[in-house]
Every structure is written in C-alpha cells, then in structure tokens.
Amino acid sequence: MYALKWKEKICATCPSADCLLKCQYMSFAGHDEAHGEMMKVIRGEDSRVLHECATCYACEEYCKRGNHPFYLISERREEKGLFTAPRPITNQWINMTQMQGKCMAGAVKDKALSCCFIPDLGILGQGEIFKDVAPAAVFGAEYMCPAVHTHFARMSVIKERLPKVIENFVKLGAKEVICLHDECYGTFTAIADAYGIDVPFKPVYYMDFLLSRMKEMKDRITPLGIKVAYQRPCSNRLIPDKYPLVREILDLIGVEIPDRVYQGENCLCCGEILRSVSGYKLADDVQERNLNDMVASGASYCVFNCPACQSSLSEKVAKKGLKPVHIIDLCKMAIGEKEREVK
Amino acid sequence: MRDILKALVEIVGERGVSNTPEELWFYSRDPGVLTPHLPDYVVAPRTTEEVQKIVLLANREKIPVVPMGNGMSLTGLVIPLKGGIVLDMKRMNKILEVNAMARYAVVEGGTSQGVLKAYLQEHHPQLRHSIPDAPPTTTIAANAALHGQGRLTQQYGFNSEMVTGLEVVLPTGEICLIGSPSLGPYWFSRGPTMPDLSALFLGWLGTTGIITKIGMRLYPNKKIRDVELFVTDRVDLIPHILYKLTHLEILEDVNVWFQPKPLVFKGNYHITLYFTGDTEEEITFKRRMIWDTLQEYMDSKDGGFMSVQYMKDMLMEMPQRGIADFADVPKGGGFEYSGPITIIEHFPQYAAKVVELAAKYDVLYASSARLISGGHCMMFSISFAFNRNDPAMMTRVKHALDEATAFALEMGGIPWKPNFMEQKMTMEKMDPNALKLLQMIKKNLDPQGIMNPGNWEVNP
Ligand SMILES: Cc1cc2nc3c(=O)[nH]c(=O)nc-3n(C[C@H](O)[C@H](O)[C@H](O)COP(=O)(O)OP(=O)(O)OC[C@H]3O[C@@H](n4cnc5c(N)ncnc54)[C@H](O)[C@@H]3O)c2cc1C
Ligand code: SF4
Ligand code: SF4
C-alpha cells in the first residue's frame, strides 16, 4: 500500500502555520495555537482539526513548504475511524464510483481526453476546440480520479483505486491524458506525487490545452466584452500554479474579471460538500456570501470550471441575476460556436 | 350467446362491444403475474344509463360484470375470473364540474388521472388532486375503489378518503347517489352527517356496484414544489425519523425506499421528502425545518442529505415514471408489488422480509413505502421484477408475493389491492363476525353474485 510522503521536520520548524491560520472554516488565536494543532495531527493525537475541518482542500494551497496538510488530516481521520460526512453518504460515494466495467473509451492513440465520471464533460469536450481529441474521449469509473474520497477521509480508497485508473489509461496506450476536470489533473500530479504513485503518461491540464487552442484560433475570436465572476473549485487548490490560466484565457476572449473579495486564495467553496459535511447552515452562509460578492463585483456571468460546482450553484446564481456558464462554453461563445445566453 | 351480443350492441352501439378473439385475449390479462382468463364480451359504455342497461341485462342473463379502468392495479383485479363482460369504463371520461371555492371536482367513472391533472392545470392552476404514481391513464374511480394513495396522501389520507360523493349503478341496476349529491346539487360530502354509504363501494374492488360519477376533493396547488433526499444505513432509525418528520406537519409527501441496484443506492434507506410553498421564503423556511429536525442524525453520522440535483427532474415528476424503470432491470419488463398497509414501527421487519424473500426466490427487489395521514400508517410496497418471457421467474415472483402477504397478515397489516387469493387469506384471518357482516352486505347488494365474481369470496 502506498503511504503519504510527509516531511515532519518542515512542519516542526514552520514559521507561518499558514495551513491552519488561513483556514476559512476554523479560527485560531495565532501561530502557536494553529501550529500546535497541526503538530497534534502529525503526531497522531486528537485535535479539533480532525473534527472541524470542512474539507475545502485549501490548506494544500496555503502550505508553501511542500507538505500536504489536507491529505494528512484525511489520513489521520481515517486511521481514527472518523467520518467527515454521514456514514451512508460516505459509503454511497464509494459504492457509486466503483468500477463495474461500464466505461466508454473512444479511439485513443497517443492522446486520451478524460471526461472522468461526469457526463457533462463529454458534451463540453466536443466541437471545434476539441475536434482532434474528442474521438479519444474516455468516460467512466474506470477512468475516474478517486480524489473525491478525500472529502470523506477515505484515503485508502484513493490508494487502492488510483493505480488501477492509471493502469487503465496505460492499457489504452495513452501517452498523454488531457484532463477536463481539475480533480483528475490534480490527482495525477499532486496526489500521485504525494503518495509516490508512478504516472507513466503525461497529464495535460485542460486549461493549458484550451489556451493554446484559443491562441491557434485567435482570428475567429470575437471579444465577448462581458464581466464575469469566477467560481474556483476546491480541486484547483491541489494545483495552485494553474490558477493564473483562467485570467489568461478570459483576457484572450475579451472577458473581464472584476476584483472581488472571494477570489484567488480567498475563494469560497461551491458549498455542496459543506452541506454534506457540516449541514445547511454553513453551506447556506458560504453560498450567500459568495453569490452576493459576485453580484457586488458587477459581473453578469458566473464562470465555472467544475461541472459539480456548476450543478450545485447554477440555479442559485441564476436567481441572483447572473448567467451560469462553463469556461469552455464561454470560449465556444467567443468563436461563435455557441449562443450567448447559455443556461 | 348471439342474443346477448345483439342486446349489448343495442345498448352501446357496435363500436362499443366486442367478442373478437384478439380483443378478448387483450382483456383477459393484466400486466401482473396472475393467470389470464378470457371474458365473453368487452363492452365500453358512454353513459350511466348504458351502464344501467348492461347491468340489468347481466342480471337477467346471470353473467358476470367486471368493471375496469385502466387494468393497471397489477393484481388481477380486472381479470374476469369467471368470464362474462369486462366493462371498460374509459369512454366515460368527462369532467363534469369543478367547484373551485369548495375545492372539489366531479368526474365520470372512467376519467383518468391525467385528464383531471391537465384540466386543472389549464383551468384551475391553483388547485390539484392527489395523483398516484401509477400511469396517467389509470382512472380516478378505480383508484378510489381500491383505496389508492397519491401525492397528497401523507397529508390528507387515502385517496378514497378524499371522495366527496358518488353516483353508483348497483348490482341490481338501480342508479344511486351517495352523500350530499343525494340531497341537492352540491358534491361536498360523501356522507357526513348521514351514515357514510360510500363505504359500501370503496375497497370492494368493483364487487358492490359500478361507480359512474365520483366527486373528489381538490387541494391548494402551491406555486413551488421542492424535494430533499435523506439517507441512512440504519433501518432501525427509520420509524423515529419518520415520526420526527411527520411532527413537522409541513410535508407534502414522504416516501421511503431501498433497492440494491444501481450501486449508488446500495446499503442505504432513502427518504424522499416533498414540500411546497408559494414563495422562496416559504420553501427555505420549510427546508430549514426539515434539516433542523434531522440534524441529530447528521451529528451522529448515521444519516445525511444527499444531493438531489441529478435526480431532481425524475423525483419531481407527477406521476413519477422512474418507478417502473425497475421492471426493465432483469429484461422482459415485468414487475408486481404487494403493498400491505402497516404501522410505521414495523418498517425494519418488513424491510428485512423483502431482502429475505428476494434471496429465497432469487428475484430482484425494490421497495418503497408511502406515509399515510401524517404517519398513522404506511403503504409498504414489496416489489419484484420479472421477465415476462420466463414463466419460472414469474412463478417465483408469485410465490414471493404470496409469502409477503402471509407475512403482512401475521404482522397485523392489511393487504392492499389484494388478488383473489390474498383476499381469501385476509378473510380467513378476519374477525368472524366482521366477515359475516361483509358477506351479508355483499349478498344483499349483489344477490346474483354477478359483480366481479371471485373477488371478496371465501371460496373464489
Ligand atoms: C408503475 C405503477 C405505479 C403505481 N403507483 C401507484 C400509486 O402511487 N398509488 C396507487 O394507489 N396505486 C399505484 N399503482 C397501482 C394502480 O395502477 C393504481 O391504483 C391505479 O389507480 C389503478 O387504476 P386502474 O384504472 O388501472 O384500475 P383497474 O386495475 O382497472 O381497476 C382496479 C379495481 O377497481 C375496480 N373498478 C374499476 N373501475 C371501477 C368503477 N368505475 N367502479 C367500481 N369499480 C371499479 C376494478 O374492478 C378493480 O377491482 C401503480 C401501478 C403502477 C403500474
Ligand atoms: S503543513 Fe505547511 S503550513 Fe502547515 S505547518 Fe506544515 S509546513 Fe507549515
Ligand atoms: S481543508 Fe479547508 S477546512 Fe480543512 S483544514 Fe484545510 S483549509 Fe481548513
């Protein structure tokens, strides 16, 4: 079984304890308290962090010293038999993402286009932008990154399933896997690396692909001239170096992202997992603050990166007068492939 | 025989009668597992007077009459066990009156749920009736005749409790008005404050007369409907959870269901909670009350709310078509269910029985319970899917359902829409004097024994 590569000494001497001090769901009196709690987690002692962490993934980004505080918290929770979300919800996720041989794989040569286990991605990954790779689309539990189980503190599921997923891509002969879901790219890069799991193909982040395709199609772009708010997904915290791509893509298609409070490191979760883990009070509060902030920024669209965020927030942003749209659809709008008023 | 056919043609016209083999074949069966039996004639009347003439003819000739709506009760209730006439009521499908202020509708005895739903949506969008999850072609009178349940049963009781008056053709041919319409033009009360004669026709499965008109209560149709889905893996908690939920007095409908496939449902019990409101505030308020009342189960990690987003359209449908999808799992598109009415406390025992029976008879199960009248009882459906092309599997399903009924009776439950064998089992268990009373009523109403014979008979 794979084990988390954890550098204890780095934490012991950490001057910031940013992982917990910056946490938006727990507060600490200062460095000493936050650091002390993290050290308890490291030593395998009980800590309030194990009971209060809302599983937003953000400390993976806050820690700038190369450790993986959130994976460790999840490991410790599982070791102690703790559940983040209710047991039936946790098991439901484990059951429904089981490999059952019901996957679909297109004509993969060197490249595969990963749609994870999210049907919406199959639709997004079509059209002019993806014309060369769409025939190589793959979908199903066999190709799904198991990162979602971190939310439920079931790292054992990840350690058991991820090597199988990787093997399934290898069997297809894929040398490059374009990941349409942040979580997949984050898993093949950040999580695999943290656990020493070998990934014998090159994971490609779809926003890198999107940016280069849009540059190739520059002549066809009509600047959209709109203001948007961006809903950053939790899994983007696993790959923070990729965050600037959003702005680059939006610049290219003439879309402005006005500054707002809950963006960048300070962004807020879509709320759906919070609803399972902590109940509606926290989820409603987070969604309300986030959406009001979007409105206050003057945005007329809410741009999504993750279909799960889009599904949980679309109706709510629409009620606030914003149009929900995936960033891929926004690019399709810019090249005239899609109507403007997407649902 | 020729004379009877001729007489029937005289009553309803040529297009309203048939004794051709194809048609008789079709009317000899229902979609369940019971053995078909051929009728001699199929007759489709258009008016109460035609129904009356047919019944008088049947009395004279001593031939059975089996009233039929859409034949979807699945338990062979419209299979003409002793031949005779199947009386297809579907041409009597007019909406006669909607009294919006008194919130009732009067419809003919073959009017379908779908027709009333569409009519109300168009003409009275502020009103609704209690729609069962049966196909929209099923009929309102039949549903009341078998004590059906619908979307509003959790709040207001069995659909048969919503009846506000009847017009019935008695087995001896008299046309009889029941309730307030027997005294005047208004259909607001089935009986009270007089003796409630409607009980002579509800639950009798067409053995005491033919309903030609029926008044049904209508209820406010709020502008917004919403749904939450609570899951737990502890069956022992279900009765307590339901008790807490019904205490809120805010839920439109509550269904508890479990099934082993697809895997997303494995190992959990699901409670679908419907609620309505006229404003977003009302919806949010009710949602919060639901969440708050179940918070203790979330804290103990024993239960939680699952995201309904991807199933929402399916859950919100009325009727909910997804229920029948289960029939396609083993190929061959068949399913039948036994749906005893029982107390909520017994949910865990019934749940265990379903799983036990499915394993014993090697069949695929699904189960869904619907709360009735704020939790006084529930309909617990024990459903098994089968391949229509596999007689051995159909026999296994039949045995499993018989055993389910025996279990329900042992547990003090009441079989719902029982087939003729289950009726017999029920009568055998019944208090002997209650049985005597039942037989006495039936004998008096139907001295020739022509109405849906084989049903509610000790020796079918
Ligand atoms: C997928 C599915 C879902 C279902 N869900 C529900 C549900 O949620 N709630 C529910 O209650 N049921 C449900 N049912 C069962 C059943 O379909 C309904 O109860 C339905 O209302 C039966 O109507 P019908 O017209 O098909 O009745 P039929 O089967 O035609 O008749 C039922 C009984 O009523 C008698 N009858 C018919 N018309 C008259 C009349 N005019 N006068 C006197 N007696 C008459 C018949 O002789 C028979 O005994 C479901 C069935 C299916 C297949
Ligand atoms: S996880 Fe990172 S930020 Fe937190 S204490 Fe360790 S080194 Fe510091
Ligand atoms: S995952 Fe989020 S909630 Fe949990 S400790 Fe890290 S930052 Fe805080």
Side-chain angles (χ1 to χ4, degrees):
Chain A
M1 192 58 124
Y2 297 95
L4 177 64
K5 293 189 274 177
W6 180 260
K7 294 153 240 157
E8 190 173 338
K9 275 195 194 131
I10 294 185
C11 282
T13 58
C14 179
S16 75
D18 271 350
C19 55
L20 293 183
L21 266 187
K22 287 189 175 176
C23 173
Q24 289 159 293
Y25 303 96
M26 276 180 281
S27 37
F28 300 90
H31 169 274
D32 288 355
E33 194 198 347
H35 188 254
E37 289 301 326
M38 197 61 208
M39 291 311 290
K40 281 192 209 163
V41 174
I42 293 167
R43 290 194 297 267
E45 293 166 14
D46 195 19
S47 156
R48 72 182 176 96
V49 174
L50 300 181
H51 305 278
E52 293 172 29
C53 158
T55 82
C56 78
Y57 288 22
C59 42
E60 283 299 305
E61 177 176 24
Y62 301 150
C63 172
K64 299 285 191 276
R65 291 161 65 87
N67 256 345
H68 293 288
F70 178 52
Y71 306 158
L72 185 75
I73 293 168
S74 303
E75 287 280 356
R76 292 289 186 260
R77 281 172 148 166
E78 185 170 14
E79 281 163 25
K80 293 181 184 309
L82 296 173
F83 284 86
T84 57
R87 196 177 51 251
I89 301 280
T90 305
N91 291 333
Q92 182 183 63
W93 275 93
I94 295 173
N95 287 336
M96 81 177 168
T97 54
Q98 248 178 52
M99 296 179 196
Q100 298 176 74
K102 291 182 181 169
C103 53
M104 289 186 269
V108 175
K109 291 191 185 111
D110 286 353
K111 289 181 185 166
L113 179 67
S114 164
C115 300
C116 192
F117 197 11
I118 306 177
D120 290 356
L121 290 176
I123 298 157
L124 286 165
Q126 288 175 7
E128 187 62 22
I129 300 171
F130 295 95
K131 70 176 181 354
D132 293 335
V133 290
V138 299
F139 165 85
E142 278 72 4
Y143 304 106
M144 179 198 171
C145 65
V148 69
H149 304 289
T150 2
H151 282 301
F152 304 107
R154 287 300 171 268
M155 303 310 279
S156 55
V157 180
I158 299 179
K159 287 181 274 188
E160 183 209 319
R161 290 187 188 173
L162 181 54
K164 289 183 189 153
V165 172
I166 293 171
E167 198 185 309
N168 289 338
F169 276 110
V170 171
K171 278 189 200 149
L172 291 176
K175 306 230 164 23
E176 262 184 38
V177 175
I178 303 163
C179 303
L180 284 171
H181 192 204
D182 274 37
E183 197 134 300
C184 296
Y185 182 74
T187 307
F188 295 137
T189 54
I191 297 185
D193 181 59
Y195 281 89
I197 299 174
D198 184 37
V199 181
F201 51 79
K202 183 182 167 208
V204 176
Y205 183 43
Y206 85 93
M207 287 219 200
D208 280 315
F209 179 87
L210 197 55
L211 182 64
S212 73
R213 282 295 289 142
M214 294 311 282
K215 281 181 180 164
E216 282 166 22
M217 292 195 284
K218 209 163 187 313
D219 298 347
R220 289 185 49 183
I221 295 174
T222 307
L224 292 171
I226 51 171
K227 287 185 187 171
V228 304
Y230 172 60
Q231 173 57 39
R232 190 178 176 206
C234 53
S235 42
N236 197 254
R237 307 282 201 167
L238 308 183
I239 46 170
D241 54 316
K242 295 291 181 190
Y243 175 59
L245 282 168
V246 177
R247 213 169 266 273
E248 279 187 65
I249 293 169
L250 295 183
D251 275 352
L252 198 63
I253 59 173
V255 171
E256 191 191 333
I257 326 186
D259 279 346
R260 63 186 190 103
V261 178
Y262 300 117
Q263 63 181 15
E265 263 199 5
N266 201 27
C267 71
L268 286 174
C269 151
C270 74
E272 218 36 55
I273 287 287
L274 297 184
R275 205 173 284 283
S276 295
V277 172
S278 307
Y280 79 87
K281 287 188 181 112
L282 180 63
D284 281 1
D285 169 61
V286 166
Q287 288 183 339
E288 192 63 13
R289 279 192 283 138
N290 194 12
L291 267 48
N292 287 344
D293 185 44
M294 288 183 188
V295 173
S297 76
S300 57
Y301 283 76
C302 172
V303 176
F304 292 96
N305 164 351
C306 166
C309 300
Q310 186 164 4
S311 138
S312 66
L313 281 182
S314 276
E315 209 180 307
K316 293 184 170 117
V317 297
K319 279 184 186 154
K320 294 271 183 191
L322 295 166
K323 297 177 198 76
V325 62
H326 193 280
I327 190 162
I328 293 177
D329 277 335
L330 211 55
C331 290
K332 289 181 179 174
M333 278 158 63
I335 58 168
E337 201 178 271
K338 223 170 163 98
E339 293 285 320
R340 267 198 164 213
E341 306 273 318
V342 249
K343 211 173 101 206
Chain B
M1 290 288 256
R2 283 197 147 270
D3 288 350
I4 294 175
L5 183 67
K6 211 169 135 223
L8 288 169
V9 170
E10 266 165 30
I11 298 170
V12 290
E14 266 189 39
R15 286 181 57 78
V17 188
S18 175
N19 67 347
T20 60
E22 321 74 87
E23 240 136 3
L24 297 187
W25 183 91
F26 183 75
Y27 281 89
S28 67
R29 59 196 62 233
D30 77 354
V33 288
L34 282 197
T35 315
H37 190 282
L38 284 175
D40 298 305
Y41 310 94
V42 179
V43 186
R46 281 184 191 278
T47 62
T48 302
E49 289 65 35
E50 287 179 3
V51 173
Q52 181 182 40
K53 285 181 188 159
I54 294 162
V55 171
L56 289 171
L57 173 75
N59 253 290
R60 204 172 58 233
E61 300 292 336
K62 297 192 177 45
I63 47 173
V65 179
V66 178
M68 171 185 169
N70 194 226
M72 272 292 172
S73 41
L74 306 180
T75 43
L77 300 177
V78 295
I79 293 179
L81 300 172
K82 301 193 176 165
I85 296 170
V86 170
L87 199 69
D88 185 335
M89 297 295 289
K90 280 192 285 295
R91 295 207 296 180
M92 293 184 63
N93 61 359
K94 284 192 275 305
I95 292 171
L96 303 169
E97 184 196 350
V98 170
N99 186 328
M101 188 62 79
R103 292 204 181 101
Y104 67 73
V106 185
V107 303
E108 285 187 327
T111 308
S112 70
Q113 304 284 354
V115 163
L116 181 59
K117 180 185 172 193
Y119 183 88
L120 292 176
Q121 266 173 357
E122 194 177 336
H123 301 284
H124 301 278
Q126 76 285 16
L127 294 172
R128 61 189 295 206
H129 75 293
S130 180
I131 298 175
D133 282 316
T137 42
T138 56
T139 60
I140 293 165
N143 190 256
L146 55 65
H147 288 308
Q149 311 100 43
R151 215 24 112 200
L152 298 175
T153 286
Q154 195 289 124
Q155 293 180 74
Y156 302 108
F158 286 95
N159 287 354
S160 48
E161 291 175 69
M162 301 169 189
V163 170
T164 61
L166 294 172
E167 178 192 84
V168 186
V169 175
L170 298 182
T172 37
E174 296 88 347
I175 299 171
C176 186
L177 282 163
I178 305 289
S180 59
S182 72
L183 296 172
Y186 305 110
W187 285 65
F188 61 87
S189 171
R190 58 199 277 169
T193 57
M194 304 174 292
D196 184 357
L197 296 178
S198 71
L200 294 173
F201 308 97
L202 304 175
W204 289 85
L205 308 173
T207 59
T208 51
I210 298 156
I211 300 169
T212 44
K213 285 181 194 148
I214 184 164
M216 290 298 285
R217 282 190 190 143
L218 303 175
Y219 298 91
N221 188 25
K222 297 261 196 176
K223 293 192 183 105
I224 313 171
R225 290 180 75 230
D226 213 334
V227 61
E228 286 283 343
L229 195 48
F230 187 78
V231 294
T232 179
D233 52 6
R234 280 189 54 188
V235 68
D236 58 309
L237 292 179
I238 298 281
H240 306 279
I241 294 172
L242 297 178
Y243 187 74
K244 286 180 85 103
L245 284 167
T246 46
H247 181 85
L248 296 175
E249 286 194 305
I250 56 167
L251 294 164
E252 176 201 73
D253 191 13
V254 181
N255 307 148
V256 194
W257 50 277
F258 60 99
Q259 57 191 62
K261 282 186 181 170
L263 283 181
V264 60
F265 301 135
K266 189 184 149 193
N268 284 339
Y269 300 87
H270 306 74
I271 307 180
T272 316
L273 303 159
Y274 294 93
F275 49 105
T276 59
D278 278 327
T279 59
E280 284 297 337
E281 287 75 35
E282 191 178 345
I283 287 286
T284 305
F285 171 75
K286 288 182 176 172
R287 176 178 290 111
R288 288 185 173 163
M289 283 183 74
I290 295 167
W291 279 75
D292 282 342
T293 206
L294 299 182
Q295 184 65 42
E296 65 172 278
Y297 303 105
M298 293 184 68
D299 293 342
S300 65
K301 307 290 183 192
D302 287 324
F305 289 88
M306 69 180 262
S307 168
V308 287
Q309 221 58 38
Y310 77 105
M311 306 169 59
K312 196 162 176 175
D313 290 348
M314 191 266 280
L315 290 173
M316 296 298 280
E317 268 188 347
M318 266 190 304
Q320 199 178 309
R321 279 177 297 175
I323 286 186
D325 288 353
F326 153 71
D328 290 325
V329 180
K331 283 198 184 127
F335 90 103
E336 184 170 329
Y337 67 100
S338 167
I341 312 298
T342 176
I343 54 172
I344 285 165
E345 245 173 279
H346 286 169
F347 187 96
Q349 288 97 314
Y350 276 83
K353 193 69 189 177
V354 178
V355 178
E356 179 200 316
L357 289 173
K360 179 171 172 188
Y361 292 100
D362 188 21
V363 285
L364 191 70
Y365 73 85
S367 176
S368 176
R370 170 172 264 146
L371 291 202
I372 298 168
S373 304
H376 291 299
C377 54
M378 65 181 171
M379 185 282 295
F380 188 102
S381 98
I382 302 172
S383 317
F384 299 113
F386 57 84
N387 181 348
R388 288 178 200 289
N389 209 15
D390 184 342
M393 188 189 271
M394 287 175 76
T395 306
R396 293 202 305 278
V397 165
K398 194 174 166 306
H399 289 320
L401 289 169
D402 287 349
E403 207 174 314
T405 301
F407 172 78
L409 284 166
E410 248 168 59
M411 293 289 291
I414 309 175
W416 173 52
K417 60 182 182 63
N419 66 36
F420 69 95
M421 285 307 293
E422 293 166 329
Q423 293 163 26
K424 188 170 147 54
M425 286 158 79
T426 308
M427 287 184 287
E428 279 164 7
K429 177 118 198 293
M430 201 181 267
D431 165 62
N433 286 333
L435 178 62
K436 251 196 218 161
L437 181 62
L438 185 148
Q439 286 172 316
M440 188 177 88
I441 292 169
K442 196 161 170 292
K443 182 83 197 150
N444 274 290
L445 280 171
D446 183 14
Q448 309 263 28
I450 58 162
M451 289 304 304
N452 207 356
N455 286 284
W456 291 130
E457 282 175 17
V458 178
N459 297 309

